[in-house]
Amino acid sequence: MSQQGYVATPPYSQSQPGIGLSPPHYGHYGDPSRATSPPGMMKPVGNLGAAAPGVMVSPGPPPPGPHQLGQNGAHSSGHSPQRFPGPPPVNSVAPSYAQYQPSTQSSYPSPVSTSSVTHLGSQLDQLQINSYGSGMAPPSQGPPDPPSAASFQGPPRPPQSSILQPGSQVLPPPPTTLNGPGASPLSPPVHRQDGLPGPPPLNAQYQPPPLPGPALGAGYPPQQQAANYGPQMAGAQLSYPGGFPGGAAQMAGLPPPPKKLDPDSIPSPIQVIENDRATRGGQVYATNTRGQVPPLVTTDCVIQDQGNASPRYIRCTTYCFPCTSDMAKQAQIPLAAVITPFAIIPSNETPLYLVNHGENGPVRCNRCKAYMCPFMQFIEGGRRYQCGFCNCVNDVPPFYFQHLDHIGRRLDHYEKPELSLGSYEFVATLDYCRKNKPPNPPAFIFMIDVSYSNIKNGLVKLICEELKTMLEKLPKEEQEETSAIRVGFITYNKVLHFFNVKSNLAQPQMMVVTDVGEVFVPLLDGFLVNYQESQSVIHNLLDQIPEMFADSNENETVFAPVIQAGMEALKAAECPGKLYIFHSSLPTAEAPGKLKNRDDKKLVNTDKEKILFQPQTSVYDSLAKDCVAHGCSVTVFLFPSQYVDVSSLGLVPQLTGGTLYKYNNFQIHLDSQQFLNDLRNDIGKKIGFDAIMRVRTSTGFRATDFFGGVFMNNTTDVEMAAIDCDKAVTVEFKHDDKLSEDSGALIQLILPDSMKILPVYMNCLLKNCVLLSRPEIATDERAYQRQLVMTMSVADSQLFFYPQLLPIHTLDVKSTALPAAVRCSESRLSEEGVFLLTNGLHVFLWLGVSSPPELIQGIFNVPSFAHVNTDMTLLPEVGNPHSHQLRMIMSIIQQKRPYSMKLTIVKQREQPEMVFRQFLVEDKGLYGGSSYVDFLCCVHKEISQLLN
């Protein structure tokens, strides 16, 4: 058997149809019954049985590679099936794969004989991508014709667009009838209050985009040189747009150039999502099904835990791990898993079971410390077990002993969650607790910036009024009637004000700390209190704070001392907790962590640009380390009106498992609802404090890199001050040995279905402000979105990079289903349409100039398009089906997202439409970046050049 192949990893335990030893099947690839691919499908050519690299079929026992996720001693595990000989797990469905019969000669030729590049090129050829760019003709076959005189008329051919890599100064390509207009040479845009690069100044010459449809006037498509399909023909290759149609080439009777590439013929994320929903939506996905990738994150289904972790907790980048590190390098596919330990489970799925072994604690392997799981093989009548991770043989503790049945499985197999499920929780003993003591209930400390601007714009009063309501809804344990969380309050500008709100006081007491260089907590008793006991005193304080600082003219603020004060208070109380900081300006007061304005646009697209995204001072890094050590999570609500250095202020929230919220140019009447929704959701989140996570793997590969809101003092322990239901940690794996081939493998093609839309997501990433360097995009906004992406789940990342565009005018008011999404391109918009676009941070309602008056009336309660007020951020409640249905759709979308999205109304042909257009990610980027069609053509061109 060839040693080149891909070993199946969890959650595989049965082969999918089309995977067998003889003859091989590849789904619809190479299936005679599906010889013709539907539009948008990539289809390889030739004999796939001979060309598919990395073919390995080796049924038998389930593959190795269990993973365990530990958090505070309670480890969820997503394991691949066991690698020990013996009977497979009982299943209602018999395995669909045949027993592997060893042979002296491989059934498949070595993949070395066929180039991966050749294979990829042939697949892209099936898309009929003739050249880089739209409207290009293939080169003539035969000797070049002498150009006619008319062929030299007209302007010279404009240069073709190319991929704009981050940092590139190349302007977007000229507009085409296919891709819409490119970016206009406008003045730098005004930064909007929602954090988006805004439209250009009013005195700029704004040209509204052309309406969808064919271009006006007669003409002929430009005849431009195609990509290299073979060696360039000898002689001059001249061709100019606008040439006379009766030139020598056509006079010679050669066929006219082919039509432009149809965008509908290239792979679409929308089609892939809809196909997955159609085939797997509403069905049960069992986690022991071998050879089957989990449903997409956009598909609603029921996950049934049958021995491997639910994909809601662990989702891998690939479910075919290469056998060797060399093969992994050739595949160039990241081997990683996105882990969401506190993922929210739908109500129709079984919640996690809790395993309690009392004072004995969880059963663990003596060598690698892996926890008991379904992949531990019990031997010697149940007295010993072999670890599924390191193969060490351990004695079974007396309290855990149980006899085995006739197939070598414990009699209590289905009675113990840790023996039959992939995800479960353990009750930790004191050995797993800090200082071997039970943890105290956490505390929330609210820290309000009372500088001049926050007082004058009403923000301080808004916060204080809302806290009186929110504190009634503090999180509590399921079995408790009231919350055990204690609360404390601090206000600050250039000094800190601590408040004593002890229940026996008639009025709150304030203590001022002016030495911000050496912050200390001036009181212990009365600072952190139970809300129910001190409710009247707390309400008096919240009423007094806006009046107390009403006459303050102090504009300077501190920031690092505020975090230091909160951490010291939690440390003194010996409890974990969370700091809620409401801040609005660059901390310029003399204190540790003082920052200066370093927003230098001249550094953009230079080697020094990276400095803008690093903290100005090491104070914040050391502060974050101290916070993690004491279980102090920091969440910051930013209300900037100018540069505040998010790269520095956001470091502590990122490393402590907190969240950074940002509201540019905050206005009470426009932004208060978005802010209050975010605050309410954050306080009510499911959250765990003072956590340590370790990812264990079986022999052959290991976890090497960790990304997310985590801090690491060593190479294995992931320390988190807190982790909530919206946070994900990405773990990258690398080989340290060869993986075993005798425990199952899968066939891996160059461009399988799951990867055919990779180019569109890559192009979206390149055009996103996370990577795109442009002076028009605020540095703070780029730093803010970079931080968000680091902790996003797979579902949130998918929507962030490829927004959802819904045609509201096609809405069926009698149905509760969402309308079918369309591709994010201007060509999908129509004058008569109304479209809703969301990316998880923003939501837009786009109105065509010819929108039906009855639809406008039903949504906005105004008679026509011209009467719609684009300043509104909430839709009015109009008592009709259109209004009710649209509001319900927006509510459904919002419920699935961790951030509150403020509504922006956009009218066609008005200036704010430019902001909306930058989210049409299949078109040319507003600030650079090629369209999806051009990007795909460029990829094809590069592959063609490699082939030649």
Side-chain angles (χ1 to χ4, degrees), residues 662-680:
K662 183 166 166 281
Y663 314 90
N664 287 6
N665 300 315
F666 182 83
Q667 300 180 56
I668 291 287
H669 64 287
L670 294 178
D671 306 299
S672 60
Q673 196 59 49
Q674 180 188 14
F675 158 60
L676 295 179
N677 288 341
D678 281 334
L679 180 58
R680 292 165 188 159

Side-chain angles (χ1 to χ4, degrees), residues 206-356:
Y206 170 64
Q207 298 294 333
L211 296 177
L216 298 178
Y220 296 89
Q223 297 179 347
Q224 300 170 352
Q225 185 174 345
N228 295 329
Y229 280 79
Q232 188 67 276
M233 302 300 295
Q237 303 287 330
L238 298 178
S239 179
Y240 294 87
F244 181 68
Q250 292 193 18
M251 290 179 181
L254 295 178
K259 296 181 180 180
K260 298 176 182 179
L261 178 64
D262 181 8
D264 289 331
S265 68
I266 59 179
S268 162
I270 301 300
Q271 191 60 50
V272 171
I273 290 172
E274 291 302 324
N275 289 346
D276 196 71
R277 286 174 176 168
T279 56
R280 310 180 78 173
Q283 299 183 8
V284 175
Y285 171 75
T287 64
N288 71 337
T289 305
R290 181 176 184 173
Q292 186 176 7
V293 176
L296 300 179
V297 292
T298 51
T299 299
D300 291 328
C301 64
V302 178
I303 307 296
Q304 188 177 85
D305 191 337
Q306 291 190 3
N308 287 300
S310 164
R312 302 192 194 280
Y313 296 119
I314 302 179
R315 186 173 283 268
C316 296
T317 57
T318 175
Y319 287 86
C320 300
F321 269 35
C323 285
T324 64
S325 59
D326 289 340
M327 180 165 289
K329 292 177 182 178
Q330 293 177 8
Q332 292 294 313
I333 299 175
L335 306 179
V338 181
I339 303 173
T340 312
F342 279 10
I344 297 177
I345 300 300
S347 58
N348 60 346
E349 293 183 14
T350 305
L352 292 181
Y353 286 93
L354 186 64
V355 179
N356 189 351

Side-chain angles (χ1 to χ4, degrees), residues 409-442:
R409 186 167 52 193
R410 287 174 58 115
L411 298 177
D412 59 355
H413 177 82
Y414 290 107
E415 298 174 9
K416 293 186 177 296
E418 71 272 22
L419 298 180
S420 57
L421 300 179
S423 307
Y424 41 89
E425 291 184 315
F426 283 110
V427 175
T429 62
L430 294 181
D431 294 336
Y432 295 86
C433 300
R434 191 182 295 276
K435 298 181 180 179
N436 294 331
K437 296 193 303 184
N440 291 318

Side-chain angles (χ1 to χ4, degrees), residues 11 16 35 72 166 188 244 266 306 390 392 455 528 588 599 618 670 728 773 775 800 837 839 889 905 913:
Q16 57 185 346
N72 260 0
F244 181 68
I266 59 179
Q306 291 190 3
C390 67
C392 176
I455 293 292
L528 294 178
T588 56
D599 189 19
S618 62
L670 294 178
S773 298
F800 177 74
L837 183 145
N839 75 334
I889 288 174
I905 308 294
E913 188 184 21

Side-chain angles (χ1 to χ4, degrees), residues 53-107:
V55 172
M56 247 187 55
V57 180
S58 179
H67 308 294
Q68 282 201 357
L69 164 68
Q71 189 263 329
N72 260 0
H75 289 240
S76 303
S77 58
H79 315 292
S80 60
Q82 62 192 33
R83 60 194 301 266
F84 310 103
V90 174
N91 198 332
S92 59
V93 181
S96 60
Y97 51 89
Q99 185 66 30
Y100 171 66
Q101 299 294 335
S103 60
T104 58
Q105 185 174 359
S106 173
S107 300

